[in-house]
Amino acid sequence: MEVWGPGAIDNFFQVQVPEPKAEGLTSPYGGMLVETLTAEDAWATFGKEPELEGAQPRLIAWGSDAAADIICWDASGDDPSAWPVLIYHRSKGVWRRHDCGMVEFLVRVLRAEFPANPLSDLSLWGRHPALFLSESEEERLLEQGLDPWAG
């Protein structure tokens, strides 16, 4: 985040800007706080894979996609490098766990290395290489009248 900041992968997957939990929203579009609140509501409302039944994770949403999936860490543990990824798979209405971190998760999606696509849409599945644009770069291109996602 220090180098690139928040942004999008192939205009499909949004990597959220980290925000401290606060009373009011700090990012202009809601970002991590809004997605985390949405994830907490989805956790309370929707089904879970059997291994997640009864679990009470501390959710932190770090990503979302155009298919309305919510991608979170389970921040229950003390070691952030060991936090697994929890995904609310919107099209199936179910939560799933992936025992890997954020970077490994994204790499495995882009290389199609999971047994099946963990997201609701195939837009990123096996799409290696993929284009990441930071929010600032996307805004700069738009200000120049350029479509940031056009080849």
Side-chain angles (χ1 to χ4, degrees):
M1 281 296 158
E2 285 181 27
V3 175
W4 302 106
I9 301 170
D10 279 355
N11 202 23
F12 176 78
F13 190 98
Q14 184 69 35
V15 177
Q16 304 293 339
V17 62
E19 302 176 285
K21 200 159 193 169
E23 292 295 318
L25 301 177
T26 57
S27 67
Y29 306 109
M32 186 177 272
L33 289 176
V34 168
E35 286 299 328
T36 297
L37 291 172
T38 302
E40 290 168 348
D41 286 344
W43 183 267
T45 305
F46 296 104
K48 292 144 193 84
E49 290 289 310
E51 70 272 9
L52 293 174
E53 288 298 332
Q56 296 181 342
R58 180 174 173 246
L59 298 173
I60 299 175
W62 58 264
S64 58
D65 65 28
D69 297 328
I70 307 169
I71 300 81
C72 302
W73 286 297
D74 175 356
S76 300
D78 292 332
D79 180 7
S81 66
W83 291 348
V85 172
L86 294 176
I87 299 174
Y88 174 60
H89 193 282
R90 177 75 63 176
S91 70
K92 294 187 178 177
V94 68
W95 282 90
R96 293 187 172 148
R97 176 185 168 117
H98 297 277
D99 289 317
C100 59
M102 173 186 177
V103 173
E104 182 181 346
F105 174 80
L106 290 171
V107 167
R108 290 178 70 187
V109 167
L110 295 170
R111 292 182 178 167
E113 292 179 349
F114 285 108
N117 180 19
L119 302 174
S120 295
D121 185 282
L122 293 172
S123 293
L124 293 184
W125 185 241
R127 188 165 178 103
H128 179 71
L131 176 62
F132 174 83
L133 282 180
S134 67
E135 284 180 1
S136 60
E137 179 64 7
E138 185 174 1
E139 289 172 13
R140 185 188 70 76
L141 292 168
L142 286 169
E143 286 171 4
Q144 293 180 356
L146 300 172
D147 179 351
W149 299 103

